[in-house]
Amino acid sequence: DVVLTQTPVSLSVTLGDQASISCRSSQSLEYSDGYTYLEWYLQKPGQSPQLLIYEVSNRFSGVPDRFIGSGSGTDFTLKISRVEPEDLGVYYCFQATHDPLTFGSGTKLEIK
Amino acid sequence: VQLVESGGGLVQPGKSLKLSCSASGFTFSSYGMHWIRQAPGKGLDWVAYISSSSGTVYADAVKGRFTISRDNAKNTLYLQLNSLKSEDTAIYYCARRVPWGWFAYWGQGTLVTVSS
């Protein structure tokens, strides 16, 4: 199975600063069709997860351009520039390239 | 689109439970469906998938113990949980992806507690 290793486990950031989360896969996430099915979700307290990024770097509709996904192969990064109070929660990477599908272990973003 | 889970509860280790997810607002038979769980205070854990043609995939942690199924006439997704362990304690969500896309719809979840 594909293991997604997220670092750091938690992140405490000052409002207005940048946050960076890493997601490293145990296998390449490039599918045979050439696409890489790596997504990023944010789960706010008491809510279901919400999509931020799909296919590594595509922002979902309505997601601010402060959220930037990048990477390829086995190494992926989510950068949040100018962190705002509504960004707090737990961030998960998720891969849909290989069965069984898997989530990363999560990164908790706290505001200082 | 609405997904509503039910069937959770307190169950003893080694026992069984069957979860349901009632779907509405879309043509249920045309979509693959997923079960995802989240242990209290822990991360998301993908559990199982069933395609529109009833092909299935399971996470290793539940393979051989859980069975995902669907009844298209009732617009309902199921998860049969057998040989339950304490580590299966979690909120169980059903979810639907957009084709070749992402998880777009989630239910509110149903809590399964495995304890003696």
Side-chain angles (χ1 to χ4, degrees), chain B residues 26-33 49-53 70 72 96-99 105:
Chain B
F26 65 103
T27 305
F28 179 73
S29 59
S30 297
Y31 290 88
M33 296 293 296
Y49 166 74
I50 185 167
S51 70
S52 57
S53 55
R70 63 191 302 157
N72 291 335
R96 202 204 92 184
R97 292 172 67 81
V98 295
Y105 305 102

Side-chain angles (χ1 to χ4, degrees), chain B residues 36-86:
Chain B
I36 294 159
R37 66 184 179 182
Q38 187 167 34
K42 301 296 184 183
L44 298 168
D45 186 24
W46 181 88
V47 174
Y49 166 74
I50 185 167
S51 70
S52 57
S53 55
S54 295
T56 58
V57 184
Y58 296 92
D60 283 356
V62 308
K63 199 179 296 182
R65 298 188 301 122
F66 291 8
T67 302
I68 188 171
S69 62
R70 63 191 302 157
D71 185 335
N72 291 335
K74 294 183 177 179
N75 289 339
T76 302
L77 173 73
Y78 301 101
L79 187 67
Q80 176 71 44
L81 291 66
N82 295 334
S83 304
L84 281 161
K85 306 175 182 180
S86 58

Side-chain angles (χ1 to χ4, degrees), chain A residues 1 31 33 37 39 41 43 48-49 51 54-55 60 92 94 96 99-101 103-104, chain B residues 34 36 38 42-46 57-60 93 97 100-103 106-108:
Chain A
D1 295 4
Y31 191 58
D33 62 5
Y37 296 101
E39 297 148 25
Y41 293 85
Q43 187 175 31
S48 298
L51 176 73
Y54 64 97
E55 291 172 15
F60 184 57
Y92 297 93
F94 174 82
D99 285 335
L101 312 187
F103 283 95
Chain B
H34 299 254
I36 294 159
Q38 187 167 34
K42 301 296 184 183
L44 298 168
D45 186 24
W46 181 88
V57 184
Y58 296 92
D60 283 356
Y93 299 96
R97 292 172 67 81
W100 296 104
W102 49 85
F103 288 112
W106 299 72
Q108 85 291 347

Side-chain angles (χ1 to χ4, degrees), chain A residues 42-45 83-91 109-111:
Chain A
L42 165 61
Q43 187 175 31
K44 296 184 179 182
V83 168
E84 297 188 6
E86 60 264 30
D87 299 338
L88 76 88
V90 183
Y91 291 78
L109 179 65
E110 299 172 316
I111 308 298

